[in-house]
């Protein structure tokens, strides 16, 4: 039952948005995964945008609005070379009329990662190569100008996180419209933390009861957890929600990480094959690990004494890459190549 919360969305101090995405994203049942005790649903944030989908779109809407409102004409962000965040920022930043630069750190190469980097360059990204995270702060300082808005790693500032506070209200409207039952558990990936933090605060404010299994995709896990917790506290304060209650919903799951950020795992590969049968495409870095954890959670819930509803929140773009690659360089050269070896 949805608690009728005292605070409608309109009462929250929410920022404006540059409308980039297609919302609400669909939510539907995954029949093949349902068990006697557990109904399994998916929230399709893979379809959050025409040009490019995934979870970065919701964060960029308030971030680009804010940059524009402050009269900025250029965005500078940070991320792994070939990251979804950098590609999303290049795609939507350029479409909204900004110049876009990013400090890029190396990550293990894969065809997916190489294509993301090529597509980012094709969208007009100004790449700034760093040899490791230790070089990021100096490179950022060196490339800031008065016209530049800095966009945090993964878009996970308080402002970007508010995009996922909104998403919880979108979910509530879908529950109220009968598109899905109220979930008991939401499973999603935990990277820079904005998705999980925004949902944790948003569920709280929207009066939904779900807890969140946040599947860590990089190490050390305790640092990831601390950064997410900080984001929950700052975002909760911003919208007047209880930080403690929002945080109490989240359990960080560190058991699906494998060797670390960007490294595939056998469990993730199996989850990817299973998801493909259901029409969902996963990536090795984030969603393979999150979906593997969701499958494990479904199995665990079988021991529960009453029926449960699990919602897997899908965060990887499923927009076709061909249009984004049409303007991309055929090959990566020099320093850029070395970033994704
Ligand atoms: C960035 C990303 C995440 C992690 O989201 P955060 O808000 O950074 O924690 C999960 N899945 C995919 C596909 C991503 O690109």
């Amino acid at each position: 039952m949805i608690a009728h919360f005292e605070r409608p969305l309109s009462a929250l101090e929410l920022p404006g948005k540059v409308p980039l995405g297609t919302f609400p994203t669909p939510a539907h049942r995954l029949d093949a995964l349902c068990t006697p005790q557990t109904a399994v649903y998916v929230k399709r944030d893979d379809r959050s945008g025409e040009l490019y989908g995934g979870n970065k779109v919701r964060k960029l809407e308030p971030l680009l609005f804010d940059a524009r409102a402050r009269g900025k004409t250029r965005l500078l962000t940070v991320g792994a070379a070939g990251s979804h965040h950098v590609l999303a920022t290049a795609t939507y930043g350029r479409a909204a009329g900004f110049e876009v630069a990013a400090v890029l750190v190396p990550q293990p190469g894969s065809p997916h990662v190489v294509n993301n980097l090529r597509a980012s360059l094709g969208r007009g990204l100004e790449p700034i190569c760093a040899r490791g995270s230790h070089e990021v702060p100096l490179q950022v300082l060196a490339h800031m100008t008065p016209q530049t808005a800095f966009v945090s790693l993964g878009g996970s500032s308080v402002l970007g996180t508010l995009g996922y506070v909104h998403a919880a209200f979108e979910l509530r409207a879908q529950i109220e419209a009968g598109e899905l039952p109220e979930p008991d558990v939401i499973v999603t990936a935990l990277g820079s933390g904005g998705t999980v933090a925004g949902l944790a605060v948003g569920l709280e404010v929207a009066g939904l009861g779900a807890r969140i299994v946040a599947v860590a995709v990089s190490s050390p896990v305790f640092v990831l957890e601390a950064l997410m917790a900080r984001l929950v506290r700052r975002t909760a304060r911003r919208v007047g929600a209880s930080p403690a209650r929002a945080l109490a919903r989240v359990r960080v799951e560190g058991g699906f990480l494998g060797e670390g950020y960007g490294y595939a795992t056998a469990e993730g590969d199996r989850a990817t094959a299973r998801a493909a049968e259901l029409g969902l495409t996963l990536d090795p870095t984030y969603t393979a690990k999150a979906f593997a954890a969701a499958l494990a959670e479904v199995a665990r819930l079988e021991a529960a004494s009453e029926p449960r509803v699990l919602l897997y929140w899908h965060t990887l773009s499923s927009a076709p890459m061909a249009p984004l690659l049409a303007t991309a360089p055929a090959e990566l050269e020099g320093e850029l190549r070395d970033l994704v070896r």
Side-chain angles (χ1 to χ4, degrees):
M1 249 319 190
I2 297 172
H4 276 283
F5 206 74
E6 349 25 282
R7 256 150 145 352
L9 180 57
S10 56
L12 298 175
E13 261 182 69
L14 291 163
K17 301 174 174 190
V18 175
L20 307 171
T22 316
F23 300 110
T25 57
H28 61 81
R29 194 177 157 98
L30 291 171
D31 285 320
L33 294 185
C34 295
T35 62
Q37 282 283 63
T38 313
V40 183
Y41 286 78
V42 60
K43 177 69 170 157
R44 301 292 301 265
D45 271 11
D46 57 313
R47 301 211 194 139
S48 61
E50 287 279 318
L51 276 173
Y52 191 68
N55 66 343
K56 303 309 182 297
V57 182
R58 292 186 193 271
K59 305 189 210 182
L60 285 169
E61 289 192 328
L63 289 171
L64 297 196
F65 182 91
D66 177 67
R68 198 179 265 170
R70 291 189 289 129
K72 307 295 183 185
T73 55
R74 180 173 174 267
L75 309 174
L76 175 62
T77 194
V78 205
S83 83
H84 304 129
H85 166 65
V86 171
L87 176 52
T89 306
T91 301
Y92 287 113
R94 297 285 294 172
F98 293 93
E99 289 175 56
V100 182
V103 178
L104 304 173
V105 299
Q107 75 164 318
S110 70
H112 178 71
V113 160
V114 168
N115 280 345
N116 287 344
L117 180 53
R118 287 178 52 226
S120 305
L121 298 170
R123 300 315 286 186
L125 176 77
E126 174 199 335
I128 302 160
C129 299
R131 280 164 296 185
S133 328
H134 61 284
E135 287 190 4
V136 169
L138 272 180
Q139 292 279 30
V140 168
L141 285 177
H143 290 87
M144 279 301 284
T145 69
Q147 292 75 39
T148 302
F150 179 69
V151 176
S152 314
L153 181 75
S156 291
S157 59
V158 169
L159 202 54
T161 298
L162 288 173
Y164 267 90
V165 174
H166 276 209
F169 281 85
E170 179 181 301
L171 178 69
R172 183 173 101 170
Q174 289 176 311
I175 295 166
E176 284 171 343
E179 291 174 39
L180 76 165
E182 185 176 354
D184 300 291
V185 189
I186 295 175
V187 182
T188 199
L190 172 65
S192 62
T195 305
V196 166
L199 285 176
V201 173
L203 293 168
E204 188 61 32
V205 185
L208 294 172
R211 55 191 181 81
I212 301 174
V213 176
V215 186
V217 301
S218 78
S219 57
V221 173
F222 77 90
V223 171
L224 227 57
E225 183 159 12
L227 291 174
M228 179 274 295
R230 177 161 178 268
L231 205 45
V232 167
R233 285 192 292 268
R234 292 170 58 212
T235 307
R237 237 175 272 131
R238 163 84 183 248
V239 302
S242 155
R245 287 177 51 109
L247 252 187
R249 296 168 176 269
V250 184
R251 174 169 72 79
V252 174
E253 170 56 70
F256 291 82
L257 176 62
E259 262 186 82
Y261 182 80
Y263 290 93
T265 61
E267 231 170 348
D269 289 346
R270 281 194 295 277
T272 302
R274 188 81 180 95
E277 296 165 6
L278 310 168
L280 295 175
T281 304
L282 309 184
D283 73 300
T285 303
Y286 295 96
T287 51
K289 292 171 185 177
F291 197 69
L295 295 175
E297 186 72 13
V298 172
R300 224 174 58 86
L301 288 175
E302 280 317 278
S305 54
E306 46 189 300
R308 297 279 187 231
V309 177
L310 179 142
L311 178 67
Y312 164 66
W313 202 298
H314 193 34
T315 51
L316 175 71
S317 174
S318 60
M321 284 297 285
L324 293 176
L325 286 169
T327 51
E331 298 278 343
L332 295 173
E333 281 164 11
E335 271 190 299
L336 286 170
R337 238 222 88 68
D338 293 338
L339 285 176
V340 289
R341 281 205 188 278

